[in-house]
Amino acid sequence: MTKKKTYPTETYDITIESINERGNGYARITHPPTRGHMGAGLQVFVPQVAPGDKVRVSVPNAKGRRRARLFDYELLQAGPNRDPEFEFRPDFSGGTPLIAMSYKAQLDYKQQMIEEYLDKVSVSSELVRPIIGMEQPIHYRNKMELTFGVDGSLGMHAQGNYKKVVDLKDSVLATKDMMTAKYIVQRWWLDSNLSAYNKETKEGLLRHLILRQSHQTKELMVGIVANGMPENYEALVQDLSVRLEAELPVLASLLWIENTSISERSYETTTHIISGNDHINEAFCDFTFRIWHDTFFQPNPVQAEKMVSIVEDLIKDKKYNQVVDLYCGIGTFSLPLAKQAEQLTGIEIVESSIESAKRNAKDNGITNAHFICSEARRGLEALKEQWGSPDLLVLDPPRSGAGGKMMRSIGRYQPGAIIYISCNPKELANDLVWLEDFGYEVTYVQPVDQFPHTVHSECIVMIEKKAND
């Protein structure tokens, strides 16, 4: 067997040209022809940088490769898009890839990315309104899920390295109460000598720490996700409860959640209430919602309320008697939409979300909304037999998008108008192409920055039937 030839590490001074869709800085190094065909060019990807930054990087085996994904650099000169207060940390977690950029630069990056994706499917940039940012783009998340590391770390995975857990010492995403809870849980864990779950060996106890906090009521949930229960469970959780309650009067729910499945995202869990309730309460758009540990709820309620307001403004001067809310979740958009409709039907495949939506509607006195637990396409087919085509269909699919089959089903369903709420502009563009053949066109696009310091953004898209020629 021929041994693969290796080359020495080489150092380059480069200027970051752009940020890719994963949030990594990009630069291209052009080598002289004497390097041969393998040395014609080297693409370099660097984390935690901003366009225009001049940095020094070391590339192992430089001559023998065309692409290099690096995890370290030396800043030589900050570019005009860099946040002057940010200092590079090689151990920084992967939750905030745009953290080195000024907030204005982040918004410009997202605006450009959205316009480029939509331009590929012939949606004019003139239809795309300026992105709506946050006045205070910090500590906005109402949910954090941290991982217990086998080395005693409790935090998020390193950027580009899912096997490594970076201890979370501070966060621009989490609230201060969440961070206080994190430190208390971590001290309790290390004092108790409980093992962390090892994904490779499938051994160990503690998997994740779930932290949820209501934006309005400030109620805090702390959930320990574990691969079973320890022998001295009662004494351990009592100790944890005492520690948390001593420093966090907002604690409203403390849970032990068993997940013995190999899958990290298994729904086959058993929840034990250590103290408080099994849920917390949130006030949102003049409605109240019950939030459980596994409830999907908009992670940034400040921006989510803006999104609901935008949707309400889009439909306020139009008469929509029958409205369908596809991928309705627990009714975040359903309840506000029901105020402006004669009848609303929400469709969602997750049974627990449908039960929550029904309960939330009842809690808020909404009597003209009903909810169906069904796969989206089958739910539409069943509903069409009862209603025919609705006046308005709203869909808020997962990050992977709705997909071609679903979009064709919507096109055949022929709703009077469609509002697509997207958290992934790339998949949004892929989905929109399917509606043109069914007589629809995009008339309005409003981007909303719901996830500052990340590459993600939301878009609200109005889609209406083409005018007859």
Side-chain angles (χ1 to χ4, degrees), residues 403-422:
K405 289 183 179 180
M406 186 69 251
M407 297 306 292
R408 290 194 296 272
S409 293
I410 292 173
R412 289 191 292 268
Y413 196 24
Q414 285 291 298
I418 302 166
I419 295 178
Y420 190 136
I421 302 166
S422 168

mmCIF file of all heavy atoms in Angstrom, residues 403-422:
data_model
loop_
_atom_site.group_PDB
_atom_site.id
_atom_site.type_symbol
_atom_site.label_atom_id
_atom_site.label_comp_id
_atom_site.label_asym_id
_atom_site.label_seq_id
_atom_site.Cartn_x
_atom_site.Cartn_y
_atom_site.Cartn_z
ATOM 1 N N GLY A 403 -41.241 20.920 0.984
ATOM 2 C CA GLY A 403 -40.938 19.916 -0.033
ATOM 3 C C GLY A 403 -41.874 20.002 -1.226
ATOM 4 O O GLY A 403 -43.000 20.514 -1.137
ATOM 5 N N GLY A 404 -41.408 19.478 -2.348
ATOM 6 C CA GLY A 404 -42.160 19.570 -3.598
ATOM 7 C C GLY A 404 -43.532 18.919 -3.551
ATOM 8 O O GLY A 404 -44.520 19.471 -4.066
ATOM 9 N N LYS A 405 -43.640 17.742 -2.946
ATOM 10 C CA LYS A 405 -44.931 17.043 -2.885
ATOM 11 C C LYS A 405 -45.963 17.871 -2.117
ATOM 12 O O LYS A 405 -47.117 17.978 -2.526
ATOM 13 C CB LYS A 405 -44.755 15.673 -2.236
ATOM 14 C CG LYS A 405 -44.021 14.658 -3.096
ATOM 15 C CD LYS A 405 -43.961 13.303 -2.399
ATOM 16 C CE LYS A 405 -43.258 12.286 -3.277
ATOM 17 N NZ LYS A 405 -43.185 10.950 -2.612
ATOM 18 N N MET A 406 -45.511 18.440 -1.000
ATOM 19 C CA MET A 406 -46.420 19.240 -0.188
ATOM 20 C C MET A 406 -46.839 20.500 -0.938
ATOM 21 O O MET A 406 -48.022 20.882 -0.923
ATOM 22 C CB MET A 406 -45.729 19.609 1.128
ATOM 23 C CG MET A 406 -46.620 20.332 2.131
ATOM 24 S SD MET A 406 -47.904 19.264 2.801
ATOM 25 C CE MET A 406 -49.360 19.942 2.012
ATOM 26 N N MET A 407 -45.896 21.154 -1.589
ATOM 27 C CA MET A 407 -46.220 22.386 -2.299
ATOM 28 C C MET A 407 -47.153 22.106 -3.479
ATOM 29 O O MET A 407 -48.049 22.912 -3.770
ATOM 30 C CB MET A 407 -44.937 23.074 -2.776
ATOM 31 C CG MET A 407 -44.007 23.521 -1.651
ATOM 32 S SD MET A 407 -44.809 24.575 -0.403
ATOM 33 C CE MET A 407 -45.131 26.059 -1.365
ATOM 34 N N ARG A 408 -46.972 20.983 -4.156
ATOM 35 C CA ARG A 408 -47.893 20.642 -5.250
ATOM 36 C C ARG A 408 -49.295 20.356 -4.705
ATOM 37 O O ARG A 408 -50.304 20.703 -5.334
ATOM 38 C CB ARG A 408 -47.359 19.449 -6.031
ATOM 39 C CG ARG A 408 -46.108 19.772 -6.857
ATOM 40 C CD ARG A 408 -45.790 18.687 -7.869
ATOM 41 N NE ARG A 408 -45.456 17.425 -7.227
ATOM 42 C CZ ARG A 408 -44.224 17.081 -6.838
ATOM 43 N NH1 ARG A 408 -43.215 17.944 -7.010
ATOM 44 N NH2 ARG A 408 -43.985 15.910 -6.298
ATOM 45 N N SER A 409 -49.354 19.724 -3.522
ATOM 46 C CA SER A 409 -50.656 19.480 -2.899
ATOM 47 C C SER A 409 -51.349 20.796 -2.572
ATOM 48 O O SER A 409 -52.562 20.941 -2.768
ATOM 49 C CB SER A 409 -50.485 18.652 -1.620
ATOM 50 O OG SER A 409 -50.048 17.348 -1.916
ATOM 51 N N ILE A 410 -50.574 21.763 -2.078
ATOM 52 C CA ILE A 410 -51.139 23.079 -1.779
ATOM 53 C C ILE A 410 -51.631 23.743 -3.061
ATOM 54 O O ILE A 410 -52.714 24.336 -3.099
ATOM 55 C CB ILE A 410 -50.093 23.960 -1.067
ATOM 56 C CG1 ILE A 410 -49.811 23.408 0.333
ATOM 57 C CG2 ILE A 410 -50.564 25.414 -0.987
ATOM 58 C CD1 ILE A 410 -48.662 24.099 1.055
ATOM 59 N N GLY A 411 -50.833 23.619 -4.125
ATOM 60 C CA GLY A 411 -51.236 24.204 -5.403
ATOM 61 C C GLY A 411 -52.533 23.600 -5.920
ATOM 62 O O GLY A 411 -53.425 24.323 -6.402
ATOM 63 N N ARG A 412 -52.664 22.283 -5.810
ATOM 64 C CA ARG A 412 -53.905 21.625 -6.254
ATOM 65 C C ARG A 412 -55.083 21.983 -5.345
ATOM 66 O O ARG A 412 -56.230 21.991 -5.779
ATOM 67 C CB ARG A 412 -53.704 20.109 -6.291
ATOM 68 C CG ARG A 412 -52.797 19.629 -7.410
ATOM 69 C CD ARG A 412 -52.847 18.130 -7.560
ATOM 70 N NE ARG A 412 -52.259 17.462 -6.411
ATOM 71 C CZ ARG A 412 -50.980 17.088 -6.320
ATOM 72 N NH1 ARG A 412 -50.160 17.352 -7.348
ATOM 73 N NH2 ARG A 412 -50.518 16.476 -5.257
ATOM 74 N N TYR A 413 -54.788 22.270 -4.087
ATOM 75 C CA TYR A 413 -55.815 22.634 -3.117
ATOM 76 C C TYR A 413 -56.458 23.976 -3.459
ATOM 77 O O TYR A 413 -57.596 24.255 -3.127
ATOM 78 C CB TYR A 413 -55.160 22.670 -1.729
ATOM 79 C CG TYR A 413 -56.086 22.648 -0.554
ATOM 80 C CD1 TYR A 413 -57.371 22.126 -0.639
ATOM 81 C CD2 TYR A 413 -55.666 23.158 0.667
ATOM 82 C CE1 TYR A 413 -58.208 22.095 0.464
ATOM 83 C CE2 TYR A 413 -56.495 23.142 1.783
ATOM 84 C CZ TYR A 413 -57.769 22.619 1.672
ATOM 85 O OH TYR A 413 -58.592 22.597 2.759
ATOM 86 N N GLN A 414 -55.699 24.846 -4.142
ATOM 87 C CA GLN A 414 -56.169 26.137 -4.646
ATOM 88 C C GLN A 414 -56.749 27.061 -3.567
ATOM 89 O O GLN A 414 -57.881 27.560 -3.686
ATOM 90 C CB GLN A 414 -57.188 25.928 -5.766
ATOM 91 C CG GLN A 414 -56.582 25.500 -7.087
ATOM 92 C CD GLN A 414 -55.769 26.616 -7.743
ATOM 93 O OE1 GLN A 414 -56.292 27.683 -8.086
ATOM 94 N NE2 GLN A 414 -54.482 26.370 -7.910
ATOM 95 N N PRO A 415 -55.985 27.332 -2.499
ATOM 96 C CA PRO A 415 -56.460 28.344 -1.546
ATOM 97 C C PRO A 415 -56.488 29.716 -2.209
ATOM 98 O O PRO A 415 -55.768 29.975 -3.180
ATOM 99 C CB PRO A 415 -55.414 28.289 -0.435
ATOM 100 C CG PRO A 415 -54.175 27.764 -1.090
ATOM 101 C CD PRO A 415 -54.654 26.804 -2.137
ATOM 102 N N GLY A 416 -57.320 30.606 -1.666
ATOM 103 C CA GLY A 416 -57.403 31.944 -2.253
ATOM 104 C C GLY A 416 -56.091 32.694 -2.179
ATOM 105 O O GLY A 416 -55.732 33.437 -3.084
ATOM 106 N N ALA A 417 -55.359 32.517 -1.078
ATOM 107 C CA ALA A 417 -54.046 33.136 -0.899
ATOM 108 C C ALA A 417 -53.236 32.253 0.045
ATOM 109 O O ALA A 417 -53.783 31.412 0.774
ATOM 110 C CB ALA A 417 -54.186 34.544 -0.339
ATOM 111 N N ILE A 418 -51.913 32.464 0.020
ATOM 112 C CA ILE A 418 -51.002 31.658 0.833
ATOM 113 C C ILE A 418 -50.031 32.594 1.541
ATOM 114 O O ILE A 418 -49.497 33.525 0.922
ATOM 115 C CB ILE A 418 -50.196 30.664 -0.040
ATOM 116 C CG1 ILE A 418 -51.137 29.738 -0.809
ATOM 117 C CG2 ILE A 418 -49.214 29.851 0.813
ATOM 118 C CD1 ILE A 418 -50.450 28.964 -1.941
ATOM 119 N N ILE A 419 -49.822 32.366 2.834
ATOM 120 C CA ILE A 419 -48.757 33.050 3.568
ATOM 121 C C ILE A 419 -47.779 31.986 4.021
ATOM 122 O O ILE A 419 -48.133 31.089 4.780
ATOM 123 C CB ILE A 419 -49.293 33.843 4.774
ATOM 124 C CG1 ILE A 419 -50.201 34.982 4.293
ATOM 125 C CG2 ILE A 419 -48.134 34.409 5.594
ATOM 126 C CD1 ILE A 419 -50.804 35.794 5.419
ATOM 127 N N TYR A 420 -46.548 32.069 3.531
ATOM 128 C CA TYR A 420 -45.488 31.109 3.855
ATOM 129 C C TYR A 420 -44.549 31.777 4.862
ATOM 130 O O TYR A 420 -43.962 32.810 4.570
ATOM 131 C CB TYR A 420 -44.751 30.729 2.576
ATOM 132 C CG TYR A 420 -43.771 29.565 2.686
ATOM 133 C CD1 TYR A 420 -43.739 28.571 1.710
ATOM 134 C CD2 TYR A 420 -42.860 29.456 3.736
ATOM 135 C CE1 TYR A 420 -42.849 27.508 1.782
ATOM 136 C CE2 TYR A 420 -41.972 28.402 3.821
ATOM 137 C CZ TYR A 420 -41.965 27.432 2.832
ATOM 138 O OH TYR A 420 -41.070 26.385 2.913
ATOM 139 N N ILE A 421 -44.437 31.181 6.033
ATOM 140 C CA ILE A 421 -43.530 31.671 7.080
ATOM 141 C C ILE A 421 -42.334 30.729 7.110
ATOM 142 O O ILE A 421 -42.459 29.560 7.486
ATOM 143 C CB ILE A 421 -44.230 31.714 8.445
ATOM 144 C CG1 ILE A 421 -45.474 32.615 8.359
ATOM 145 C CG2 ILE A 421 -43.276 32.231 9.520
ATOM 146 C CD1 ILE A 421 -46.408 32.464 9.525
ATOM 147 N N SER A 422 -41.179 31.224 6.714
ATOM 148 C CA SER A 422 -40.008 30.370 6.513
ATOM 149 C C SER A 422 -38.889 30.719 7.474
ATOM 150 O O SER A 422 -38.650 31.890 7.768
ATOM 151 C CB SER A 422 -39.490 30.528 5.080
ATOM 152 O OG SER A 422 -38.202 29.934 4.931
#
